[in-house]
Amino acid sequence: MSAIERRGPCGPALAAAVAETTPEIAAGTHDAVVIGSGAAGGMAACLLAEAGLRVLVLEAGLIRSQSVSLSPATGEFPNRERQPIQSRCHVWKLAPEAYVDDLDCPYTTPPDRPFNWLRARQLGGRMMLPGHGRQYYRFGQADFNSIDGLTQRWPLQPGELDPWYAGVERRLGLVGTRDNIPWLPDSELAQVLEPTPEEARLQRVITARWPRARPVLARFAAPFDSLEAAAMTGRLLIRTGAIAREIEVDGSGRVCGVVWIDQQSRTEHRARAPLVFLCASTLESTRLLLLSRSARSPEGLGAASGALGRYLMDHVYVGAQGYAPAPPLSPADSLEEGRCLYLPRFDARELPVPPPGRGFGIQVYHASVGEGWFSFSAASFGEMLPRVENRVTLDPDCRDVWGIPALHIACAYGDAELICAREQTAALRALAEVAGATLTSIDEVPPPGSSVHESGTARMGSDPAGSVLDPHCQCWEAQGLYVTDGACFPSQSTQNPTLTILALTARACDHALRTARDKNIS
């Protein structure tokens, strides 16, 4: 019987915090509660604990065995029949136990509009999955304030997010190159890289074919262990297997706690706090807002705006795989995980600058496979427009195994995205030809959700009439409740969203701490 081994999720301080947090302790009063332990939740817990708050993190996943056995009869993973959606992820086999059980955690879609909702329930969230891309890029000013009129502008001043980007980049220890590309702002780097011989060759052949293309080295980093950093303050509690069911708001419109269900005992508990960061992942966060109903918010927290659950987006994903002969003098590369070439706005490769319209970028990976050959893999991500009809609601008839209403996801690519996908496919074929690669497969437009970059459905804005969150990601209808994962995005860029999620979380934490301090002073 074979097995896949993975690194354990807990450092010593975090392991101690998990062991300490019994249901009785979690069901107490805290300075802050953070729902979810992924990119946003981990960063929120870290910053709030470092600022002196006693923080409780509620994580729906359990800590499981770090080895996964294959069936001795079939050589298959035993989970596949229970994970028909999750097993569509290309790295599912590396850690099937980290993904949800689709039968226990169902959702519904219209028959003609499939959506691949890929979910990890574990400490660190999807960031800790083997095969995570580890890509971190800033959004450009045109991404926040597009002039084409197709998206709502972000409620941010030019350059307002820059110091928060920089602070996050320093914590990550980001590596890459400074490239002076206006539509891909430079980051603060812990190390400036030089291209390998094969990367340099690819850059040369790409710019020889498209002189205005700008292939750059990726900006990447290993996941920052924010939970361990938070635990080292001595002010972190973390309850695993805690499934949030409702956010409670008092009569004055201020958040006051979270109702959660213990996954194993199925008993209900309540954690009280005047500050809650909702970071459960885009669709889980919006599901919880929809579930949190009261006389003040009968359709869910933020539903009065008409925007809650709407404007769902996911990058248009097209991937290609193949192989190429290695140049005779090129060494056998052993590249760090996450390292690749990035081609920002490759749709505008024939133009002096990208137009204000939407486009796509491409990540190109290669690795030595021995005997003078390189694998060739390219992933293209195109921007999806936020449209009111792409939405999530609570399904009136479907519930998960804990009795909580499931989501109904109605989302489809529009004509603009389908045109973009055709252009992405053509670009990948041309890129492979220029690189001297033979393609063995190309994934042409799998259903939305497949890029695992879903965003929107609880967008931030300047006016409560059309947004769920204020400019600091605080819910208009629940003071003290912040939503800082991808749900808060008014629009997408072509870039990976993780760095922007982290920067928005850092900015929201600062706002929450300053607001609390000002109230205490007064």
Side-chain angles (χ1 to χ4, degrees), residues 347-358:
D347 59 292
R349 58 195 177 277
E350 306 278 9
L351 303 175
V353 295
R358 312 306 161 139

Side-chain angles (χ1 to χ4, degrees), residues 158-209:
E160 185 175 348
L161 208 56
D162 288 355
W164 307 108
Y165 273 137
V168 168
E169 289 160 351
R170 286 192 292 270
R171 284 182 180 266
L172 288 170
L174 200 61
V175 301
T177 53
R178 298 183 180 94
D179 305 294
N180 193 30
I181 301 175
W183 54 95
L184 183 68
D186 286 338
S187 290
E188 290 204 14
L189 302 176
Q191 180 185 357
V192 177
L193 300 179
E194 294 294 331
T196 65
E198 176 62 9
E199 288 168 339
R201 182 190 75 85
L202 284 174
Q203 288 177 313
R204 288 194 300 272
V205 298
I206 290 170
T207 53
R209 171 62 181 83

Side-chain angles (χ1 to χ4, degrees), residues 96-108:
E97 82 288 356
Y99 294 81
V100 302
D101 182 311
D102 288 316
L103 303 188
D104 286 348
C105 304
Y107 64 96
T108 62

Side-chain angles (χ1 to χ4, degrees), residues 67-335:
S67 63
V68 183
S69 296
L70 303 179
S71 165
T74 66
E76 284 290 322
F77 290 88
N79 317 56
R80 187 183 292 273
E81 67 276 8
R82 298 196 63 88
Q83 295 179 304
I85 302 296
Q86 307 311 307
S87 59
R88 295 174 188 173
C89 182
H90 70 287
V91 294
W92 168 81
K93 283 188 174 182
L94 298 178
E97 82 288 356
Y99 294 81
V100 302
D101 182 311
D102 288 316
L103 303 188
D104 286 348
C105 304
Y107 64 96
T108 62
T109 66
D112 59 342
R113 283 181 279 176
F115 188 94
N116 288 338
W117 189 11
L118 303 173
R119 293 178 277 174
R121 285 188 171 179
Q122 63 171 356
L123 290 174
R126 294 188 301 207
M127 291 269 293
M128 300 306 294
L129 288 174
H132 181 268
R134 302 186 173 193
Q135 303 295 295
Y136 298 96
Y137 304 100
R138 297 189 185 196
F139 284 9
Q141 194 52 47
D143 298 317
F144 293 120
N145 292 310
S146 175
I147 63 174
D148 61 13
L150 297 176
T151 59
Q152 173 183 284
R153 293 193 170 200
W154 292 58
L156 301 171
Q157 296 301 313
E160 185 175 348
L161 208 56
D162 288 355
W164 307 108
Y165 273 137
V168 168
E169 289 160 351
R170 286 192 292 270
R171 284 182 180 266
L172 288 170
L174 200 61
V175 301
T177 53
R178 298 183 180 94
D179 305 294
N180 193 30
I181 301 175
W183 54 95
L184 183 68
D186 286 338
S187 290
E188 290 204 14
L189 302 176
Q191 180 185 357
V192 177
L193 300 179
E194 294 294 331
T196 65
E198 176 62 9
E199 288 168 339
R201 182 190 75 85
L202 284 174
Q203 288 177 313
R204 288 194 300 272
V205 298
I206 290 170
T207 53
R209 171 62 181 83
W210 299 287
R212 287 169 169 160
R214 299 290 296 271
V216 302
L217 294 187
R219 297 171 198 162
F220 67 99
F224 168 56
D225 198 348
S226 52
L227 292 175
E228 179 71 8
M232 289 177 67
T233 68
R235 290 184 287 273
L236 179 74
L237 295 170
I238 182 162
R239 182 64 190 172
T240 59
I243 300 169
R245 196 206 70 191
E246 181 183 353
I247 296 168
E248 295 188 312
V249 179
D250 65 21
S252 68
R254 181 159 194 89
V255 71
C256 58
V258 179
V259 178
W260 56 277
I261 297 172
D262 185 88
Q263 185 180 136
Q264 293 179 307
S265 68
R266 302 199 181 187
T267 54
E268 183 177 289
H269 302 270
R270 180 174 281 101
R272 295 172 179 83
L275 178 62
V276 173
F277 268 71
L278 176 52
C279 308
S281 80
T282 293
L283 297 185
E284 290 284 16
S285 290
T286 296
R287 179 192 184 199
L288 193 49
L289 292 173
L290 289 165
L291 287 165
S292 301
R293 302 186 173 194
S294 65
R296 293 176 61 95
S297 302
E299 299 300 319
L301 285 172
S305 65
L308 182 62
R310 296 188 182 273
Y311 308 107
L312 174 59
M313 299 164 282
D314 184 53
H315 277 142
V316 184
Y317 168 75
V318 180
Q321 298 78 39
Y323 60 91
L329 299 179
S330 177
D333 292 297
S334 178
L335 301 180

Side-chain angles (χ1 to χ4, degrees), residues 424-493:
Q424 290 171 264
T425 301
L428 289 179
R429 294 187 186 280
L431 187 61
E433 181 180 358
V434 166
T438 300
L439 291 183
T440 55
S441 65
I442 189 162
D443 306 318
E444 298 188 36
V445 206
S450 300
S451 80
V452 204
H453 292 165
E454 63 271 16
S455 59
T457 66
R459 67 184 184 183
M460 60 193 297
S462 301
D463 187 344
S467 58
V468 177
L469 311 173
D470 72 11
H472 294 281
C473 299
Q474 183 174 211
C475 184
W476 291 108
E477 295 181 25
Q479 294 301 291
L481 172 63
Y482 292 80
V483 184
T484 64
D485 53 27
C488 73
F489 281 31
S491 63
Q492 282 188 315
S493 164

